[in-house]
Amino acid sequence: MTSATIKDNKTLTTVIHLSVFTKYFIPLGNFIFPMLLWLARRQDPFVDHHGRNALNFQISMFLYTVFIVAVGAATFIYFGMRFTIGEPLFFERDSFVIEKFSDALPFFIIAGILGIILLGLFILELFAVINASIKANEGKLYSYPLTINFLGSENPDGNNHQSNQSRNEQFNDTQKQTL
């Protein structure tokens, strides 16, 4: 990456990172806006690096949140069924009467732990996005923590350079070599 391309694209990469906060105003804005900005200037390696990282981080945070909410829902259903074992499977006035607090204590502990983890993910996302925006504005590369790399680099060496041969020509060359 040359310093000229980094200088030209610092603002764009900063906006890519900050555009994930649109999810608080527009549903799926944290995926749509960074993707549109990234795809507009994807040929530039600096923009490509920051765009891929921003989207990978958002996908990872979404999956972590879905997993934690699913565990919470399963916990709620498990303890709901456990407390109403002697009752019929429809809701009545006294369906969820808990006679001893010690019976409900594991539910409250699990719900509290899951709530703290969700709060931690929220705080991590805020700090990581702001830190990535600052690094992008300084012209530095940044890698988000806890990110699963869904959108990997197109080339295994990490460079985004176009080859003089098309993929079909490269395929034909390998076919000729094996024959």
Side-chain angles (χ1 to χ4, degrees), residues 12-171:
L12 177 63
T13 55
T14 303
V15 171
I16 286 173
H17 289 294
L18 291 176
S19 69
V20 302
F21 291 131
T22 59
K23 74 179 180 181
Y24 298 114
F25 309 108
I26 300 169
L28 300 176
N30 60 329
F31 300 115
I32 296 169
F33 292 111
M35 186 180 305
L36 291 175
L37 294 170
W38 168 57
L39 290 175
R41 299 281 300 270
R42 172 180 178 177
Q43 293 77 19
D44 186 307
F46 186 67
V47 175
D48 187 51
H49 173 79
H50 282 280
R52 284 181 195 275
N53 281 338
L55 286 170
N56 281 332
F57 183 68
Q58 289 304 308
I59 294 169
S60 299
M61 287 294 115
F62 176 73
L63 290 177
Y64 296 148
T65 304
V66 166
F67 177 74
I68 291 169
V69 169
V71 169
T75 301
F76 181 76
I77 290 170
Y78 171 75
F79 280 103
M81 296 300 273
R82 185 171 161 217
F83 294 142
T84 60
I85 283 186
E87 304 291 325
L89 291 177
F90 56 89
F91 296 108
E92 293 179 357
R93 177 186 281 164
D94 297 331
S95 289
F96 292 106
V97 174
I98 301 170
E99 295 168 4
K100 291 189 282 182
F101 180 74
S102 62
D103 291 341
L105 190 60
F107 172 74
F108 290 124
I109 290 172
I110 293 172
I113 290 171
L114 293 176
I116 289 171
I117 292 172
L118 279 175
L119 179 66
L121 282 177
F122 174 74
I123 292 170
L124 172 72
E125 182 179 18
L126 286 178
F127 282 114
V129 168
I130 291 170
N131 195 18
S133 301
I134 292 169
K135 295 290 184 187
N137 195 29
E138 293 172 353
K140 298 178 182 175
L141 298 178
Y142 182 78
S143 294
Y144 284 97
L146 300 176
T147 301
I148 303 168
N149 194 16
F150 292 105
L151 304 172
S153 170
E154 287 181 1
N155 295 332
D157 60 355
N159 295 331
N160 227 0
H161 302 296
Q162 297 282 337
S163 173
N164 291 336
Q165 285 184 317
S166 71
R167 291 184 186 218
N168 287 337
E169 290 172 346
Q170 291 174 354
F171 177 74

